[in-house]
C-alpha cells in the first residue's frame, strides 16, 4: 500500500511550474510545512523541458484533444481560442483513466469526510487548457518517403556540406526518438547574468543545483534581407566588426561608454536631457546614429520599439550593459539541460527543507466553510491546510472570473545546423515589428540535444491568433524547408511545432475562497522577472513578516545534532 | 584552495527507509543518526579520500525525501558519476521495488552523463545486513548481475560494516576509469580487473568477477 500524506500542512501547492515552485520553496525554507502536488508525471508544468519523444507525444495529444487528425500535417488549423477551454487537464498521461479515478475517489472520500458545522465539500474539477493550435511537422526522410527522391537528386550538391559535419548519417525521426539527451523547453527563457533570476538563485543558494552556459552571440537580421549579422557586444567585437564603418564604430563605442556610465551613476542623464519622454528613435537620430546603428541598438541591445520612450529604453540599456561581461561576451545565460531545470531546482530545495512531493496527484475536492478552504481531499485522504496555491490550469473554471486572455505564439524548431554557421551556438535574435519576435537558439552544447542538433525557439504576442501564421515567415527566413535549395546556406529543418499558449494575469482571478491563490501561466518575457515578482507577492501576502528565500546554508555549514554511534536503533 | 584531483558526484536512490541517509552519514561523519527526519536542510555531504596517492573528493547526494512518493526530480540525476541503488535486506518490499528504480535509472541517468560517452557507474547495495534477512544474498547477486550493475555489496550503516569499503571501491573505480579515459582507452574489462585485486569479504562481490 502506498504511504499516505500527513494530516495537516501549512500550505498545499498544486502544479510544479516555476511560480508555484518558488512560493512552495520560499514557505518551506522558513519552516512551513508544504505539500506540493502535480497531476503530471513530470516536474515543471508548462515550464518543463521535454525529451523529443515526450514533446512529440505532448503535441499529438493536443492535436487529438482539439479534434485534429492523428497524424497531423499542414492542413489542421483551428480557430483562435480567446476563451478558456473547459477540457480535461491536457497534460495527463491518460486523461480518461484519471477522470475515472477522480470520480471513484470522490465517491469513497465523500463518505469518510469529517465535516464540522457549516462546512461543505466541493469537488475540484480538472482545470483549463492553455494550449491551442498545436501543429507538429516532421521534415525527416522516413516521415515523408515521397521526399526521398528529391533528396537523392540533390545529394551530390549536398556532399561538401555534409562532409563538413561530424554527422554523416542523416537524422531520422527514429534516431531522434532513441536519443536520450534532450531538454526541449515549452517556454524557453534566457537569464540576464545580473538579472532577477540569477540574483535570486545566488542569494538563495539555489544556484548550486544549476549550471549555465553563456549565450555566445546576439544576431540581427539586416532589414530587408535574410542575412544575419553578429551584433558586436564588446569593444573588441566593435573594432573587428565588418558591417559597421569607422564612424559608426566610434558612435557605437561612445554610446556603450555612456551606457556603462549610466550603470555606475544612475542619476546621470547627461546627453539624454529633453529626450526622456521622447521616442527612443528620436534620441538616436539626434545623436547621428545611422540606420544600421539604430537597428542594432533598438533590436539587439535595448530590445525596445522605436516608439518606446527614451527613459524606458535607458532602463533596458542599463539592464543589458550591467549584465555584460559578467560571464561571457553577451549578457545572457542559458541553463544546461534546459530551462526545466530551474523549477526543479526550487523544488529540490523545498524538499531539502522538508517539503513533501508527489507527482501524478492532484486534489479531488476541498472542504470549505463560507469562503475559507479548511481542508483538501486527495484520494481517500482529508488533509487540513491553511492556504492553497494553484497554477491556473489546476483551478476549476467555475471558480474564475472572466478575464481578457493574451495569446502567445510559440514555435520549436529542431535542426541539424545553426541558423548562422556555428558548431555549437547559443544565440539571441529579435525581429522588430508591431509584435516583435524573439528567437533563441540553443544546441547540444547546452546538453539539451544530441550532438550536432540545434533547437531554435521563436515566440511573440500573437497578432493573427495562430502561431503558425505568426511565425512561419520568420521560420522561412531562418531554415531550409525544401530539399532543393541547399545552396543558400540555411540549416535544414528536421522537425517543427507551432502552438499557442494563453496567458492571463491571475491576481484576484478568483474571489470564491480567500485562502486560494492562483499563479499565472508564463508570460511573454525573456527573463523571469514577472514570475519572480508574482511569487514574491504571493509569499508576502501569505507571510508578511518573513524573509523571502534567505540563503540556504552549504553542506559544511550545517551542524547536525542528535547523533549517536550505539546500536539498537530502529530506523523505521 | 581546492587541492583535490577528482570530484565525483554520487547519487543515492531507493525506497524510503532503507537507510540511504544513514549510509551517507556513517561514511561522511562516522556516525549513525538516531533521529528520523534529520535529512532536513542537508543536501549532500562531501568526503575526501586518498586513492593511489591521488586526492579524491566524493560529493554524495541524498534524495531529500522525494523518493517517498516516487517523485524525485529528474535533475537530481544530472551529471552523476555513480548511482547507488539501496534496498533493505530485511524488507522484501524494498527489494521488489528495484526494477522500477532501474527503469528510472535508464530513463534519467542516461542523459545525466551526456557528453563524456560513458555510462554512469551503477552500484547495488543491500543495507541493514546486521538484521535478519528477507532477501537472500544469491537472489540479490543474481539481480545485480542481470541488471548490469557494476558493483554489489551488502552493508550495515549501523555496524559500519562495508560502508567505508563501498565508497572506497567506488572511488577507486571512478579514478581508474578517469585515468583510462585520459589514456585514451575506456574498457570496462580493465575496470573490472581492478575489482578483482581487492580482497573480497564473504558478503561482497563484484558482478564481473564471475
Amino acid at each position: 500500500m502506498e504511504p499516505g500524506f500527513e494530516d495537516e500542512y501549512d500550505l498545499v501547492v498544486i502544479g510544479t511550474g516555476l511560480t508555484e515552485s518558488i512560493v512552495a520553496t520560499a514557505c518551506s525554507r522558513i519552516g512551513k510545512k508544504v505539500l506540493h502536488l502535480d497531476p503530471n508525471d513530470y516536474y515543471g508544468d508548462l515550464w518543463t523541458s521535454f525529451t523529443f519523444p515526450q514533446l512529440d507525444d505532448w503535441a499529438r495529444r493536443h492535436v487529438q484533444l482539439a479534434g485534429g487528425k492523428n497524424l497531423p500535417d499542414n492542413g489542421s488549423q483551428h480557430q483562435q481560442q480567446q476563451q478558456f477551454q473547459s477540457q480535461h487537464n491536457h497534460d495527463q498521461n491518460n486523461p480518461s483513466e484519471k477522470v475515472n479515478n477522480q470520480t471513484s475517489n470522490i465517491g469513497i472520500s465523500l463518505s469518510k469526510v469529517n465535516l464540522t458545522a457549516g462546512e461543505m465539500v466541493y469537488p475540484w474539477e480538472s482545470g483549463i487548457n492553455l494550449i491551442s493550435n498545436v501543429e507538429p511537422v516532421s521534415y525527416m526522410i522516413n516521415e515523408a518517403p515521397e521526399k526521398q527522391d528529391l533528396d537523392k537528386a540533390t545529394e551530390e550538391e549536398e556532399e561538401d556540406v555534409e562532409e563538413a559535419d561530424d554527422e554523416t548519417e542523416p537524422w531520422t525521426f527514429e534516431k531522434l526518438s532513441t536519443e536520450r539527451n534532450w531538454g526541449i523547453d515549452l517556454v524557453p527563457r534566457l537569464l540576464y547574468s545580473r538579472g532577477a533570476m540569477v540574483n535570486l538563485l545566488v542569494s538563495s543558494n539555489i544556484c548550486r543545483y544549476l549550471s549555465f552556459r553563456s549565450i555566445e552571440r546576439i544576431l540581427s537580421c539586416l532589414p530587408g534581407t535574410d542575412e544575419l549579422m553578429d551584433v558586436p557586444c564588446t569593444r573588441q567585437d566593435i573594432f573587428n566588426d565588418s558591417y559597421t564603418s569607422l564612424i559608426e564604430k566610434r558612435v557605437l563605442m561612445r554610446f556603450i561608454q555612456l551606457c556603462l556610465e549610466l550603470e555606475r551613476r544612475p542619476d546621470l542623464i547627461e546627453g539624454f536631457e529633453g529626450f526622456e519622454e521622447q521616442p527612443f528613435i528620436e534620441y538616436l537620430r539626434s545623436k547621428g546614429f545611422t540606420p544600421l546603428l539604430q537597428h542594432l541598438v533598438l533590436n539587439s541591445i535595448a530590445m525596445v520599439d522605436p516608439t518606446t520612450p527614451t527613459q524606458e529604453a535607458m532602463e533596458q540599456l542599463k539592464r543589458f550593459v550591467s549584465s555584460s561581461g559578467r560571464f561571457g561576451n553577451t549578457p545572457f545565460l542559458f541553463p544546461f539541460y534546459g530551462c526545466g531545470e530551474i523549477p526543479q531546482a526550487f523544488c529540490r530545495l523545498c524538499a531539502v527543507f522538508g517539503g513533501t512531493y508527489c507527482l501524478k496527484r492532484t486534489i479531488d475536492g476541498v472542504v470549505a466553510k463560507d469562503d475559507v478552504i479548511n481542508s483538501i481531499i486527495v484520494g481517500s485522504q482529508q488533509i487540513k491546510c491553511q492556504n492553497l496555491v494553484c497554477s491556473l490550469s489546476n483551478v476549476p473554471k467555475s471558480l474564475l472570473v472572466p478575464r481578457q486572455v493574451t495569446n502567445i505564439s510559440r514555435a520549436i524548431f529542431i535542426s541539424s545546423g545553426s541558423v548562422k554557421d556555428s558548431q555549437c551556438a547559443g544565440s539571441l535574435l529579435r525581429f522588430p515589428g508591431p509584435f516583435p519576435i524573439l528567437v533563441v537558439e540553443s544546441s547540444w552544447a547546452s546538453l539539451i540535444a544530441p550532438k550536432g542538433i540545434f533547437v531554435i525557439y521563436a515566440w511573440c504576442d500573437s497578432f493573427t491568433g495562430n502561431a503558425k501564421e505568426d511565425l512561419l515567415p520568420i521560420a522561412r527566413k531562418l531554415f531550409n524547408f525544401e530539399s532543393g535549395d541547399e545552396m543558400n546556406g540555411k540549416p535544414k529543418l528536421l522537425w517543427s511545432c507551432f502552438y499557442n499558449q494563453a496567458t492571463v494575469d491571475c491576481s484576484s482571478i478568483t474571489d470564491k475562497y480567500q485562502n486560494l491563490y492562483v499563479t499565472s501561466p508564463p508570460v511573454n518575457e525573456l527573463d523571469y522577472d514577472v514570475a519572480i515578482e508574482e511569487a514574491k507577492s504571493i509569499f508576502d501576502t501569505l507571510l508578511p513578516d518573513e524573509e523571502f528565500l534567505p540563503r540556504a546554508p552549504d553542506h559544511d555549514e550545517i551542524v547536525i545534532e542528535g547523533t549517536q554511534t550505539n546500536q539498537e536503533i530502529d530506523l523505521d | 584552495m581546492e587541492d583535490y584531483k577528482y570530484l565525483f558526484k554520487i547519487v543515492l536512490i531507493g525506497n524510503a527507509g532503507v537507510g540511504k541517509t544513514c549510509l551517507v552519514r556513517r561514511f561522511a561523519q562516522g556516525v549513525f543518526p538516531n533521529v528520523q527526519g534529520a535529512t532536513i536542510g542537508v543536501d549532500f555531504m562531501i568526503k575526501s579520500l586518498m586513492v593511489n596517492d591521488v586526492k579524491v573528493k566524493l560529493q554524495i547526494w541524498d534524495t531529500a525525501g522525494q523518493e517517498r512518493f516516487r517523485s524525485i526530480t529528474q535533475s537530481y540525476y544530472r551529471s552523476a558519476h555513480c548511482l547507488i541503488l539501496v534496498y533493505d535486506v530485511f524488507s522484501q518490499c524494498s527489494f521488489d521495488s528495484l526494477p522500477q528504480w532501474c527503469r528510472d535509472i535508464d530513463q534519467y541517468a542516461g542523459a545525466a552523463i551526456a557528453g563524456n560517452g560513458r555510462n554512469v557507474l551503477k552500484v547495488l547495495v543491500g543495507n541493514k545486513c546486521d538484521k535478519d534477512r528477507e532477501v537472500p544474498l544469491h537472489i540479490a547477486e543474481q539481480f545485480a548481475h542481470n541488471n548490469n550493475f557494476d558493483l554489489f555489496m551488502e552493508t550495515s550503516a549501523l555496524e559500519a560494516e562495508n560502508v567505508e569499503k563501498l565508497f572506497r571501491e567506488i572511488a577507486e573505480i571512478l579514478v581508474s576509469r578517469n585515468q583510462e579515459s585520459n589514456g585514451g582507452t575506456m574498457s570496462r574489462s580493465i575496470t573490472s580487473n581492478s575489482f578483482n585485486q581487492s580482497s573480497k569479504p564473504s558478503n561482497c562481490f563484484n558482478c564481473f568477477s564471475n
Side-chain angles (χ1 to χ4, degrees):
Chain A
M1 206 193 108
E2 210 180 56
F5 303 111
E6 289 174 48
D7 293 330
E8 191 167 353
Y9 289 88
D10 295 319
L11 176 71
V12 174
V13 181
I14 317 291
T16 52
L18 181 68
T19 317
E20 313 87 85
S21 298
I22 298 177
V23 177
T25 308
C27 292
S28 169
R29 177 66 189 83
I30 53 118
K32 297 293 164 191
K33 241 171 105 180
V34 176
L35 174 63
H36 201 169
L37 309 176
D38 193 313
N40 299 310
D41 64 351
Y42 53 84
Y43 278 89
D45 207 342
L46 282 176
W47 309 78
T48 194
S49 301
F50 278 141
T51 63
F52 179 65
Q54 277 180 313
L55 177 62
D56 189 58
D57 281 353
W58 176 88
R60 283 162 192 265
R61 207 160 59 235
H62 278 285
V63 171
Q64 272 181 321
L65 270 176
K69 288 172 276 181
N70 264 1
L71 284 171
D73 54 25
N74 307 339
S76 55
Q77 297 205 353
H78 311 289
Q79 287 296 306
Q80 181 190 357
Q81 316 276 325
Q82 272 302 342
Q83 286 186 329
F84 295 133
Q85 294 169 287
S86 56
Q87 270 154 349
H88 302 310
N89 195 319
H90 47 285
D91 283 334
Q92 298 291 347
N93 246 0
N94 190 342
S96 55
E97 189 182 281
K98 182 68 199 169
V99 170
N100 284 340
N101 269 344
Q102 274 182 351
T103 42
S104 63
N105 281 341
I106 279 285
I108 295 164
S109 51
L110 275 176
S111 58
K112 285 188 186 171
V113 171
N114 267 327
L115 296 180
T116 58
E119 281 188 341
M120 291 275 285
V121 184
Y122 301 93
W124 200 260
E125 309 128 33
S126 48
I128 54 174
N129 181 15
L130 301 167
I131 300 294
S132 59
N133 303 329
V134 181
E135 286 191 46
V137 182
S138 171
Y139 302 91
M140 285 168 287
I141 293 163
N142 57 342
E143 282 291 295
E146 72 279 0
K147 283 190 182 167
Q148 210 156 5
D149 292 338
L150 260 178
D151 277 3
K152 270 182 188 154
T154 55
E155 218 162 71
E156 277 169 36
E157 292 171 59
E158 276 177 52
E159 232 161 52
D160 37 0
V161 184
E162 288 284 317
E163 273 171 19
D165 286 343
D166 288 347
E167 208 58 64
T168 45
E169 200 186 320
W171 288 97
T172 61
F173 192 85
E174 201 191 346
K175 195 172 161 197
L176 286 188
S177 304
T178 49
E179 291 281 349
R180 286 187 298 189
N181 306 325
W182 289 103
I184 310 170
D185 290 310
L186 293 180
V187 181
R189 297 287 170 92
L190 292 184
L191 291 81
Y192 278 93
S193 57
R194 282 184 215 274
M197 181 53 97
V198 169
N199 289 344
L200 179 61
L201 291 172
V202 170
S203 67
S204 64
N205 213 356
I206 293 173
C207 55
R208 66 184 167 204
Y209 305 122
L210 296 161
S211 45
F212 297 87
R213 193 168 189 279
S214 85
I215 287 287
E216 279 109 337
R217 58 186 184 178
I218 298 173
L219 295 173
S220 182
C221 189
L222 294 171
T225 71
D226 287 1
E227 194 180 345
L228 300 179
M229 73 170 276
D230 283 72
V231 177
C233 292
T234 62
R235 207 174 278 266
Q236 188 70 29
D237 289 348
I238 296 173
F239 186 72
N240 290 335
D241 182 60
S242 57
Y243 287 90
T244 46
S245 71
L246 215 57
I247 297 170
E248 285 175 322
K249 285 183 205 301
R250 204 146 17 137
V251 173
L252 193 56
M253 209 84 101
R254 217 177 315 139
F255 181 70
I256 300 277
Q257 202 59 46
L258 178 67
C259 294
L260 281 168
E261 303 249 321
L262 270 180
E263 217 260 310
R264 278 194 289 270
R265 296 165 51 195
D267 52 328
L268 179 97
I269 52 152
E270 201 179 314
F272 288 103
E273 302 104 321
F275 285 102
E276 291 93 332
E277 307 301 322
Q278 295 293 311
F280 190 43
I281 188 84
E282 294 298 328
Y283 167 82
L284 294 175
R285 283 194 188 124
S286 79
K287 297 291 169 188
F289 281 63
T290 61
L292 174 65
L293 287 186
Q294 292 172 19
H295 174 76
L296 294 182
V297 171
L298 279 172
N299 292 302
S300 304
I301 300 179
M303 290 189 280
V304 295
D305 300 321
T307 53
T308 305
T310 301
Q311 186 86 54
E312 199 184 317
M314 281 164 62
E315 289 304 316
Q316 282 291 101
L317 286 169
K318 274 193 242 173
R319 207 175 169 200
F320 184 97
V321 168
S322 67
S323 287
S324 294
R326 185 175 191 186
F327 297 115
N329 263 0
T330 74
F332 301 106
L333 300 174
F334 186 81
F336 274 109
Y337 306 107
C339 298
E341 295 291 292
I342 295 178
Q344 289 189 50
F346 280 92
C347 292
R348 164 88 187 165
L349 191 80
C350 182
V352 165
F353 281 87
T356 302
Y357 275 83
C358 188
L359 299 177
K360 291 189 277 186
R361 201 58 86 76
T362 188
I363 53 176
D364 301 305
V366 296
V367 176
K369 184 179 179 184
D370 301 327
D371 64 346
V372 178
I373 296 171
N374 290 336
S375 54
I376 58 162
I377 295 161
V378 180
S380 56
Q381 222 185 329
Q382 184 179 358
I383 299 162
K384 277 191 190 156
C385 72
Q386 285 169 16
N387 288 292
L388 180 61
V389 172
C390 284
S391 68
L392 179 63
S393 54
N394 285 304
V395 176
K397 193 188 167 194
S398 56
L399 299 184
L400 305 173
V401 299
R403 276 279 164 92
Q404 183 60 42
V405 174
T406 308
N407 216 355
I408 303 171
S409 286
R410 297 186 180 275
I412 299 169
F413 305 103
I414 298 177
S415 153
S416 55
S418 164
V419 293
K420 184 169 187 266
D421 44 80
S422 164
Q423 290 302 304
C424 56
S427 323
L428 170 66
L429 171 59
R430 181 182 189 267
F431 288 95
F435 297 87
I437 298 171
L438 283 172
V439 176
V440 166
E441 178 180 57
S442 186
S443 73
W444 58 277
S446 295
L447 308 179
I448 59 137
K451 189 163 189 200
I453 292 290
F454 294 74
V455 181
I456 296 99
Y457 307 99
W459 72 92
C460 66
D461 281 335
S462 183
F463 46 100
T464 67
N466 182 288
K468 189 174 180 182
E469 281 179 39
D470 289 339
L471 298 170
L472 192 59
I474 295 304
R476 293 207 181 279
K477 274 181 188 287
L478 297 175
F479 302 102
N480 251 325
F481 281 77
E482 315 300 333
S483 310
D485 48 344
E486 299 286 347
M487 301 310 284
N488 62 12
K490 295 178 188 176
K492 189 160 164 26
L493 194 56
L494 302 175
W495 190 89
S496 73
C497 182
F498 294 94
Y499 54 101
N500 284 103
Q501 177 233 313
T503 188
V504 57
D505 177 8
C506 289
S507 52
S508 63
I509 198 165
T510 174
D511 45 17
K512 177 97 171 148
Y513 303 113
Q514 51 159 288
N515 57 347
L516 168 67
Y517 299 84
V518 181
T519 59
S520 309
V523 299
N524 176 7
E525 64 171 338
L526 185 59
D527 202 340
Y528 290 95
D529 299 40
V530 172
I532 293 171
E533 202 47 56
E534 184 179 7
K536 186 168 187 314
S537 129
I538 292 175
F539 176 80
D540 288 342
T541 313
L542 290 173
L543 300 156
D545 300 322
E546 296 284 355
E547 190 183 349
F548 180 67
L549 286 168
R551 184 176 172 281
D554 279 325
H555 67 97
D556 50 2
E557 298 164 0
I558 298 166
V559 179
I560 294 156
E561 292 163 14
T563 53
Q564 84 178 57
T565 43
N566 290 333
Q567 318 83 357
E568 290 184 2
I569 295 146
D570 192 6
L571 270 182
D572 303 298
Chain B
M1 188 183 99
E2 301 283 17
D3 55 345
Y4 57 89
K5 182 160 184 201
Y6 295 111
L7 174 70
F8 296 118
K9 178 177 172 182
I10 300 174
V11 161
L12 278 98
I13 52 171
N15 278 12
V18 297
K20 296 183 292 297
T21 306
C22 297
L23 272 176
V24 183
R25 298 275 300 276
R26 167 61 79 190
F27 173 64
Q29 301 176 312
V31 295
F32 186 84
N34 67 344
V35 183
Q36 263 298 322
T39 339
I40 286 184
V42 181
D43 243 335
F44 55 84
M45 299 218 173
I46 290 186
K47 186 157 176 179
S48 301
L49 292 177
M50 293 301 290
V51 175
N52 306 330
D53 298 328
V54 172
K55 188 164 181 189
V56 179
K57 260 193 177 186
L58 299 183
Q59 193 186 64
I60 309 159
W61 289 68
D62 207 347
T63 49
Q66 288 178 319
E67 79 281 19
R68 191 139 182 264
F69 299 100
R70 299 198 59 84
S71 300
I72 291 181
T73 50
Q74 298 99 293
S75 63
Y76 177 68
Y77 296 90
R78 303 283 189 217
S79 61
H81 298 88
C82 171
L83 283 168
I84 304 180
L85 175 52
V86 187
Y87 69 95
D88 175 354
V89 296
F90 188 61
S91 154
Q92 184 64 39
C93 169
S94 76
F95 186 79
D96 293 341
S97 307
L98 294 181
Q100 225 180 332
W101 285 111
C102 288
R103 277 196 294 277
D104 283 8
I105 294 175
D106 287 342
Q107 192 175 350
Y108 303 122
I113 35 80
N116 66 14
R118 171 179 288 290
N119 285 326
V120 62
L121 185 75
K122 279 167 64 182
V123 178
L124 183 68
V125 168
N127 193 33
K128 305 192 193 176
C129 62
D130 48 276
K131 288 192 178 180
D132 297 336
R133 62 172 65 243
E134 273 188 10
V135 183
L137 181 64
H138 70 276
I139 301 280
E141 284 175 355
Q142 194 58 45
F143 182 87
H145 188 75
N146 294 345
N147 289 277
N148 301 315
F149 279 87
D150 299 276
L151 182 64
F152 166 67
M153 244 186 230
E154 286 191 347
T155 59
S156 164
L158 184 67
E159 316 231 304
E161 193 181 339
N162 270 341
V163 177
E164 182 81 24
K165 181 176 167 54
L166 168 72
F167 287 101
R168 175 159 292 278
E169 290 218 5
I170 289 169
E172 283 169 4
I173 297 164
L174 291 173
V175 167
S176 83
R177 276 189 172 190
N178 254 272
Q179 285 167 345
E180 281 162 40
S181 58
N182 289 345
T185 53
M186 298 198 294
S187 153
R188 270 195 167 212
S189 59
I190 297 174
T191 309
S192 69
N193 285 341
S194 70
F195 272 112
N196 295 339
Q197 288 156 11
S198 58
S199 64
K200 279 189 273 173
S202 59
N203 56 352
C204 166
F205 94 118
N206 117 51
C207 303
F208 292 108
S209 61
N210 301 331

